[in-house]
Amino acid sequence: MKTSWRAASLVATAASVLALTTACGQDNATTPASAAQNVGATAAAGDYGNAGATPGTGTAAGNGYGADGNQSSSSPTPATPAGKLTVAANPDLGKVLTDGSGLTLYRFDKDTANPPKSNCAGDCATTWPPVPADDATAGAGIDKALLGEVTRADGSKQLTIAGWPAYRYAKDVNSGDVNGQGVGGKWFALAPNGKKASLSSLPGLSVRKDPKLGEVVVDRNGMTVYRFLKDKAWPKSVSNCTGACLEKWPAVAPVKSDDTKGVQKKGLMGFTRPDGTKQMTVNCWPIYTFSGDKAPGDTNGQGVGGTWYAVSPDGKPVGAPGK
């Protein structure tokens, strides 16, 4: 590539709020905007997204990277040139960036854009092939100034969009496929501006009307939010989902109260987990997303193990027996 990337009321009320803060163990009501993302509180070093997980079983088909188990990094396929990038219209995601063959391009939450850095190598890079930077050009609707490159550990040049390393997905075989969207809660289709493709700009937490479950809380990516019945809310928020559990059920990071819509404000706060990371709560209950949900609107985590349920705007577990 010939272009380089560029920078991308009253006293009573106050008393009640203070009491609630103490009860829920809230740490800080003014979480920085940079923390207002849906990410796993902890994750294993090799966690690149499991698209083969079977809800409720705790097992997975495939190699744990979102592709079939026969994928191997020992015999890499020659990288396909990016060609002329285009903008495709997706009914669920809006404008999506594609390569010259019409294949969707993705970004990885564990990467960084400033400075650009890829954290996907080995088997991960087999499942998510890095897009070469060499011949990439900007088509209609794409600002060529956002195109850049990053040097990978093996010395190859990878395309970046607004600093974010770009990838394809091994399970996308046809033009317009978006099978990689939301895999592992960390992989998302790229919008032409380098952001995560989204039909609309959602608040950190908002409410969606599900045809089967009714009103449920979703995160800023439109992904369904869940509660774990083994957690606790009083006298302080406690998460009993740790280790491998968090890989399947990523904790929702704190968001500012004014970055929510339709969600009950009472008990809407963050708390610090034992590992030092912070997690969001609704009515003091810790909330999570599900790695088995692949796209906004999915509710594959509903009822898993009889302990995981979507969250209503007031923090209750939707459809949980006796709740």
Side-chain angles (χ1 to χ4, degrees):
M1 167 184 318
K2 302 204 185 329
T3 59
S4 61
W5 73 278
R6 301 187 196 33
S9 314
L10 304 171
V11 172
T13 301
S16 64
V17 170
L18 179 59
L20 179 61
T21 298
T22 302
C24 290
Q26 181 185 14
D27 300 301
N28 190 344
T30 57
T31 301
S34 61
Q37 303 176 29
N38 176 46
V39 296
T42 61
D47 178 18
Y48 301 111
N50 184 351
T54 303
T57 66
T59 61
N63 61 6
Y65 297 96
D68 298 331
N70 61 1
Q71 295 285 351
S72 172
S73 60
S74 59
S75 301
T77 301
T80 303
K84 188 175 183 178
L85 306 184
T86 58
V87 179
N90 181 279
D92 297 317
L93 301 176
K95 294 181 178 180
V96 173
L97 193 63
T98 63
D99 67 10
S101 300
L103 292 176
T104 301
L105 302 187
Y106 298 89
R107 50 176 278 182
F108 184 31
D109 275 359
K110 287 190 174 182
D111 287 349
T112 59
N114 187 21
K117 186 179 188 303
S118 169
N119 287 305
C120 176
D123 285 342
C124 174
T126 300
T127 301
W128 302 90
V131 179
D134 301 337
D135 76 331
T137 58
I142 303 170
D143 183 356
K144 66 179 182 180
L146 296 181
L147 274 61
E149 63 182 38
V150 61
T151 302
R152 297 177 54 79
D154 61 5
S156 62
K157 304 290 186 181
Q158 181 176 1
L159 174 69
T160 61
I161 308 296
W164 286 100
Y167 306 82
R168 300 182 180 96
Y169 183 43
K171 286 191 174 182
D172 284 350
V173 295
N174 299 312
S175 175
D177 283 354
V178 288
N179 298 313
Q181 175 66 13
V183 167
K186 298 175 180 65
W187 292 90
F188 299 93
L190 272 163
N193 60 1
K195 297 182 182 296
K196 298 175 185 178
S198 175
L199 198 56
S200 60
S201 179
L202 296 175
L205 292 176
S206 60
V207 176
R208 180 181 66 82
K209 184 68 175 289
D210 184 86
K212 294 182 179 179
L213 302 179
E215 291 190 332
V216 297
V217 179
V218 298
D219 70 3
R220 67 175 64 256
N221 299 310
M223 305 301 287
T224 303
V225 166
Y226 298 89
R227 253 188 62 181
F228 186 32
L229 296 189
K230 294 183 179 181
D231 285 349
K232 296 181 180 180
W234 304 96
K236 67 177 183 178
S237 303
V238 176
S239 168
N240 285 305
C241 178
T242 60
C245 175
L246 277 177
E247 296 180 26
K248 294 181 71 69
W249 302 90
V252 176
V255 301
K256 292 182 178 180
S257 178
D258 59 6
D259 189 25
T260 65
K261 183 177 181 181
V263 183
Q264 176 180 289
K265 299 295 184 183
K266 176 185 176 183
L268 188 64
M269 57 190 67
F271 74 100
T272 301
R273 297 175 55 85
D275 61 7
T277 60
K278 296 183 183 298
Q279 182 173 2
M280 189 63 180
T281 72
V282 175
N283 197 18
C284 297
W285 289 98
I287 57 175
Y288 312 78
T289 53
F290 180 46
S291 63
D293 285 346
K294 300 301 183 286
D298 284 355
T299 55
N300 298 318
Q302 178 67 6
V304 167
T307 55
W308 291 91
Y309 294 90
V311 179
S312 67
D314 61 359
K316 294 180 179 179
V318 178
K323 298 294 183 178

